[in-house]
């Protein structure tokens, strides 16, 4: 295809870096819907665990303040520690997963969340002094219990394996896009006469 004064070298269509960046950016704007759903669910789990932390801290303070039941206060402190651990497990930090491999599997995570929910619900105050605290305990407990149950069922159905494989695909796709951008930028630096 000759155009006014151009040689045979220009017959191959060339892509500029702006058009390749535009194409690559279109791919990155659409995240995987399954991974987005997992992130939203993880946010709900973290929110539920934070509610459990708040409820258990309030109950521990009340127990130590009135000195009515020291055992309940100590029990609440353990529940706060484990609920903090649930929050850390949801971040999926390599440090946490490396030392506690059971939290890599969704069934293990779900069992931990169910345990924290049961600890939060244990020893409720039925004396009638703090009904709002009992209601708050129930909400936090049942939210975390539902999240833990969903984790256990999803773990049995191997949904965690599907999530990990999709995460690996997304990471490799992002790396391939970065590599392509570097290649297109390098090709822009080469004069067209050498192509």
């Amino acid at each position: 295809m000759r155009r006014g004064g151009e040689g045979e070298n220009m017959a191959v269509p060339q892509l500029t870096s702006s058009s390749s960046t535009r194409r690559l950016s279109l791919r990155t704007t659409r995240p995987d819907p399954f991974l987005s759903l997992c992130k939203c669910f993880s946010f709900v789990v973290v929110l539920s665990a934070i509610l459990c932390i708040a409820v258990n801290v309030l109950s521990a303070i009340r127990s130590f303040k009135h000195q009515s039941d020291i055992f309940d206060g100590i029990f609440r402190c353990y529940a706060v520690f484990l609920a903090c651990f649930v929050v850390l497990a949801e971040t999926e930090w390599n440090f946490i997963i490396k030392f506690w491999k059971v939290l890599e599997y969704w069934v293990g995570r779900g069992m931990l969340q169910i345990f924290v929910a049961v600890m939060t619900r244990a020893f409720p105050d039925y004396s009638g002094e703090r009904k709002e605290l009992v209601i708050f305990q129930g909400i936090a407990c049942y939210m975390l219990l539902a999240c833990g149950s969903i984790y256990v069922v999803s773990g049995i159905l191997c949904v965690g394996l599907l999530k990990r494989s999709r995460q690996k695909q997304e990471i490799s796709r992002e790396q391939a896009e970065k590599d392509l951008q570097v290649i297109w930028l390098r090709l822009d630096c080469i004069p067209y006469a050498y192509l």
Side-chain angles (χ1 to χ4, degrees):
M1 301 177 87
R2 286 188 181 226
R3 291 188 225 162
E6 293 179 350
E8 291 291 326
N9 292 346
M10 299 307 287
V12 178
Q14 301 291 325
L15 292 175
T16 63
S17 65
S18 63
S19 65
S20 64
T21 306
R22 196 177 315 122
R23 283 188 195 150
L24 291 175
S25 67
L26 287 177
R27 288 184 193 161
T28 58
T29 57
R30 293 185 302 160
D32 187 6
F34 178 72
L35 291 177
S36 298
L37 179 69
C38 289
K39 287 178 185 176
C40 290
F41 181 67
S42 183
F43 176 75
V44 170
V45 170
V46 168
L47 182 68
S48 301
I50 290 172
L51 283 174
C52 285
I53 290 170
V55 144
N56 285 316
V57 164
L58 289 173
S59 294
I61 289 171
R62 188 175 162 277
S63 294
F64 289 133
K65 185 178 178 181
H66 296 295
Q67 296 180 354
S68 59
D69 193 8
I70 300 298
F71 177 73
D72 184 41
I74 294 169
F75 188 78
R76 296 293 173 193
C77 291
Y78 280 118
V80 167
F81 174 73
L82 288 175
C84 289
F85 198 67
V86 168
V87 172
L88 286 176
E90 280 303 308
T91 61
E92 295 183 353
W93 284 346
N94 287 334
F95 177 75
I96 301 293
I97 301 298
K98 185 170 71 172
F99 288 109
W100 290 282
K101 284 287 191 186
V102 72
L103 295 177
E104 185 177 355
Y105 302 103
W106 282 20
V107 175
R109 252 186 233 183
M111 295 301 283
L112 177 65
Q113 292 167 9
I114 290 170
F115 184 66
V116 171
V118 169
M119 286 181 77
T120 302
R121 188 67 180 152
F123 304 119
D125 181 26
Y126 291 121
S127 64
E129 293 177 17
R130 304 279 308 246
K131 286 189 178 183
E132 64 275 355
L133 186 61
V134 173
I135 292 171
F136 197 37
Q137 276 180 342
I139 291 170
C141 164
Y142 290 122
M143 280 180 64
L144 196 60
L145 186 66
C147 291
S149 300
I150 290 171
Y151 257 123
V152 168
V153 170
S154 298
I156 291 171
L157 296 175
C158 298
V159 176
L161 183 64
L162 176 66
K163 179 187 173 193
R164 284 191 295 275
S165 68
R166 289 215 178 174
Q167 281 177 332
K168 286 179 185 176
Q169 285 178 350
E170 185 173 302
I171 289 170
S172 63
R173 183 182 307 127
E174 288 173 359
Q175 186 60 41
E177 288 174 359
K178 287 178 185 177
D179 292 346
L180 282 175
Q181 285 178 351
V182 168
I183 289 171
W184 285 116
L185 289 174
R186 287 182 183 165
L187 284 177
D188 266 352
C189 296
I190 299 173
Y192 290 117
Y194 292 115
L195 295 176

PDB file of all heavy atoms in Angstrom, residues 122-135:
ATOM      1  N   ALA A 122     -21.976 -15.925  74.594  1.00  0.00           N
ATOM      2  CA  ALA A 122     -21.929 -16.583  75.905  1.00  0.00           C
ATOM      3  C   ALA A 122     -22.048 -15.556  77.026  1.00  0.00           C
ATOM      4  O   ALA A 122     -21.623 -14.413  76.891  1.00  0.00           O
ATOM      5  CB  ALA A 122     -20.617 -17.353  76.042  1.00  0.00           C
ATOM      6  N   PHE A 123     -22.610 -15.966  78.111  1.00  0.00           N
ATOM      7  CA  PHE A 123     -22.803 -15.149  79.311  1.00  0.00           C
ATOM      8  C   PHE A 123     -23.517 -13.830  79.042  1.00  0.00           C
ATOM      9  O   PHE A 123     -23.025 -12.772  79.404  1.00  0.00           O
ATOM     10  CB  PHE A 123     -21.463 -14.865  80.007  1.00  0.00           C
ATOM     11  CG  PHE A 123     -20.692 -16.067  80.365  1.00  0.00           C
ATOM     12  CD1 PHE A 123     -19.438 -16.289  79.830  1.00  0.00           C
ATOM     13  CD2 PHE A 123     -21.204 -17.004  81.247  1.00  0.00           C
ATOM     14  CE1 PHE A 123     -18.718 -17.410  80.152  1.00  0.00           C
ATOM     15  CE2 PHE A 123     -20.481 -18.139  81.573  1.00  0.00           C
ATOM     16  CZ  PHE A 123     -19.243 -18.340  81.027  1.00  0.00           C
ATOM     17  N   PRO A 124     -24.677 -13.853  78.412  1.00  0.00           N
ATOM     18  CA  PRO A 124     -25.382 -12.586  78.200  1.00  0.00           C
ATOM     19  C   PRO A 124     -25.930 -12.049  79.523  1.00  0.00           C
ATOM     20  O   PRO A 124     -26.142 -12.791  80.474  1.00  0.00           O
ATOM     21  CB  PRO A 124     -26.515 -12.952  77.250  1.00  0.00           C
ATOM     22  CG  PRO A 124     -26.757 -14.393  77.505  1.00  0.00           C
ATOM     23  CD  PRO A 124     -25.423 -14.986  77.886  1.00  0.00           C
ATOM     24  N   ASP A 125     -26.154 -10.751  79.556  1.00  0.00           N
ATOM     25  CA  ASP A 125     -26.664 -10.086  80.752  1.00  0.00           C
ATOM     26  C   ASP A 125     -28.188 -10.063  80.678  1.00  0.00           C
ATOM     27  O   ASP A 125     -28.776  -9.232  79.993  1.00  0.00           O
ATOM     28  CB  ASP A 125     -26.112  -8.662  80.829  1.00  0.00           C
ATOM     29  CG  ASP A 125     -26.604  -7.940  82.066  1.00  0.00           C
ATOM     30  OD1 ASP A 125     -26.928  -8.609  83.062  1.00  0.00           O
ATOM     31  OD2 ASP A 125     -26.665  -6.701  82.020  1.00  0.00           O
ATOM     32  N   TYR A 126     -28.823 -10.997  81.368  1.00  0.00           N
ATOM     33  CA  TYR A 126     -30.278 -11.047  81.377  1.00  0.00           C
ATOM     34  C   TYR A 126     -30.876 -10.338  82.585  1.00  0.00           C
ATOM     35  O   TYR A 126     -32.071 -10.411  82.821  1.00  0.00           O
ATOM     36  CB  TYR A 126     -30.762 -12.503  81.368  1.00  0.00           C
ATOM     37  CG  TYR A 126     -30.490 -13.205  80.060  1.00  0.00           C
ATOM     38  CD1 TYR A 126     -29.701 -14.350  80.017  1.00  0.00           C
ATOM     39  CD2 TYR A 126     -31.005 -12.729  78.875  1.00  0.00           C
ATOM     40  CE1 TYR A 126     -29.450 -15.001  78.832  1.00  0.00           C
ATOM     41  CE2 TYR A 126     -30.756 -13.366  77.673  1.00  0.00           C
ATOM     42  CZ  TYR A 126     -29.984 -14.506  77.665  1.00  0.00           C
ATOM     43  OH  TYR A 126     -29.739 -15.142  76.481  1.00  0.00           O
ATOM     44  N   SER A 127     -30.040  -9.658  83.350  1.00  0.00           N
ATOM     45  CA  SER A 127     -30.550  -9.007  84.556  1.00  0.00           C
ATOM     46  C   SER A 127     -31.419  -7.800  84.231  1.00  0.00           C
ATOM     47  O   SER A 127     -32.169  -7.348  85.077  1.00  0.00           O
ATOM     48  CB  SER A 127     -29.385  -8.583  85.453  1.00  0.00           C
ATOM     49  OG  SER A 127     -28.604  -7.610  84.784  1.00  0.00           O
ATOM     50  N   GLY A 128     -31.313  -7.303  83.018  1.00  0.00           N
ATOM     51  CA  GLY A 128     -32.149  -6.185  82.611  1.00  0.00           C
ATOM     52  C   GLY A 128     -31.496  -4.836  82.777  1.00  0.00           C
ATOM     53  O   GLY A 128     -32.094  -3.823  82.456  1.00  0.00           O
ATOM     54  N   GLU A 129     -30.264  -4.800  83.273  1.00  0.00           N
ATOM     55  CA  GLU A 129     -29.587  -3.523  83.455  1.00  0.00           C
ATOM     56  C   GLU A 129     -29.197  -2.907  82.111  1.00  0.00           C
ATOM     57  O   GLU A 129     -29.370  -1.720  81.909  1.00  0.00           O
ATOM     58  CB  GLU A 129     -28.325  -3.705  84.306  1.00  0.00           C
ATOM     59  CG  GLU A 129     -28.594  -4.106  85.734  1.00  0.00           C
ATOM     60  CD  GLU A 129     -27.294  -4.348  86.489  1.00  0.00           C
ATOM     61  OE1 GLU A 129     -26.233  -3.902  86.012  1.00  0.00           O
ATOM     62  OE2 GLU A 129     -27.360  -4.978  87.547  1.00  0.00           O
ATOM     63  N   ARG A 130     -28.671  -3.705  81.223  1.00  0.00           N
ATOM     64  CA  ARG A 130     -28.169  -3.191  79.944  1.00  0.00           C
ATOM     65  C   ARG A 130     -28.784  -3.964  78.793  1.00  0.00           C
ATOM     66  O   ARG A 130     -28.141  -4.791  78.163  1.00  0.00           O
ATOM     67  CB  ARG A 130     -26.645  -3.316  79.900  1.00  0.00           C
ATOM     68  CG  ARG A 130     -25.865  -2.670  81.008  1.00  0.00           C
ATOM     69  CD  ARG A 130     -25.663  -1.195  80.795  1.00  0.00           C
ATOM     70  NE  ARG A 130     -25.102  -0.872  79.503  1.00  0.00           N
ATOM     71  CZ  ARG A 130     -23.914  -0.346  79.327  1.00  0.00           C
ATOM     72  NH1 ARG A 130     -23.144  -0.092  80.354  1.00  0.00           N
ATOM     73  NH2 ARG A 130     -23.497  -0.046  78.130  1.00  0.00           N
ATOM     74  N   LYS A 131     -30.040  -3.694  78.499  1.00  0.00           N
ATOM     75  CA  LYS A 131     -30.710  -4.413  77.413  1.00  0.00           C
ATOM     76  C   LYS A 131     -30.109  -4.075  76.051  1.00  0.00           C
ATOM     77  O   LYS A 131     -30.067  -4.922  75.171  1.00  0.00           O
ATOM     78  CB  LYS A 131     -32.197  -4.095  77.416  1.00  0.00           C
ATOM     79  CG  LYS A 131     -32.955  -4.764  78.524  1.00  0.00           C
ATOM     80  CD  LYS A 131     -34.428  -4.589  78.347  1.00  0.00           C
ATOM     81  CE  LYS A 131     -35.146  -5.330  79.463  1.00  0.00           C
ATOM     82  NZ  LYS A 131     -36.583  -5.282  79.326  1.00  0.00           N
ATOM     83  N   GLU A 132     -29.645  -2.833  75.890  1.00  0.00           N
ATOM     84  CA  GLU A 132     -29.054  -2.454  74.605  1.00  0.00           C
ATOM     85  C   GLU A 132     -27.774  -3.234  74.337  1.00  0.00           C
ATOM     86  O   GLU A 132     -27.454  -3.558  73.200  1.00  0.00           O
ATOM     87  CB  GLU A 132     -28.803  -0.948  74.520  1.00  0.00           C
ATOM     88  CG  GLU A 132     -27.792  -0.399  75.493  1.00  0.00           C
ATOM     89  CD  GLU A 132     -28.350  -0.063  76.870  1.00  0.00           C
ATOM     90  OE1 GLU A 132     -29.571  -0.164  77.087  1.00  0.00           O
ATOM     91  OE2 GLU A 132     -27.538   0.281  77.728  1.00  0.00           O
ATOM     92  N   LEU A 133     -27.036  -3.563  75.388  1.00  0.00           N
ATOM     93  CA  LEU A 133     -25.822  -4.364  75.221  1.00  0.00           C
ATOM     94  C   LEU A 133     -26.168  -5.790  74.788  1.00  0.00           C
ATOM     95  O   LEU A 133     -25.480  -6.367  73.941  1.00  0.00           O
ATOM     96  CB  LEU A 133     -25.005  -4.377  76.516  1.00  0.00           C
ATOM     97  CG  LEU A 133     -23.646  -5.051  76.461  1.00  0.00           C
ATOM     98  CD1 LEU A 133     -22.746  -4.344  75.456  1.00  0.00           C
ATOM     99  CD2 LEU A 133     -23.005  -5.073  77.826  1.00  0.00           C
ATOM    100  N   VAL A 134     -27.241  -6.334  75.331  1.00  0.00           N
ATOM    101  CA  VAL A 134     -27.678  -7.679  74.938  1.00  0.00           C
ATOM    102  C   VAL A 134     -28.123  -7.690  73.477  1.00  0.00           C
ATOM    103  O   VAL A 134     -27.806  -8.612  72.722  1.00  0.00           O
ATOM    104  CB  VAL A 134     -28.812  -8.177  75.873  1.00  0.00           C
ATOM    105  CG1 VAL A 134     -29.384  -9.488  75.374  1.00  0.00           C
ATOM    106  CG2 VAL A 134     -28.298  -8.330  77.291  1.00  0.00           C
ATOM    107  N   ILE A 135     -28.826  -6.643  73.067  1.00  0.00           N
ATOM    108  CA  ILE A 135     -29.261  -6.554  71.660  1.00  0.00           C
ATOM    109  C   ILE A 135     -28.043  -6.410  70.748  1.00  0.00           C
ATOM    110  O   ILE A 135     -27.943  -7.052  69.698  1.00  0.00           O
ATOM    111  CB  ILE A 135     -30.241  -5.379  71.477  1.00  0.00           C
ATOM    112  CG1 ILE A 135     -31.552  -5.681  72.199  1.00  0.00           C
ATOM    113  CG2 ILE A 135     -30.504  -5.106  70.002  1.00  0.00           C
ATOM    114  CD1 ILE A 135     -32.502  -4.519  72.272  1.00  0.00           C
TER     115      ILE A 135
END
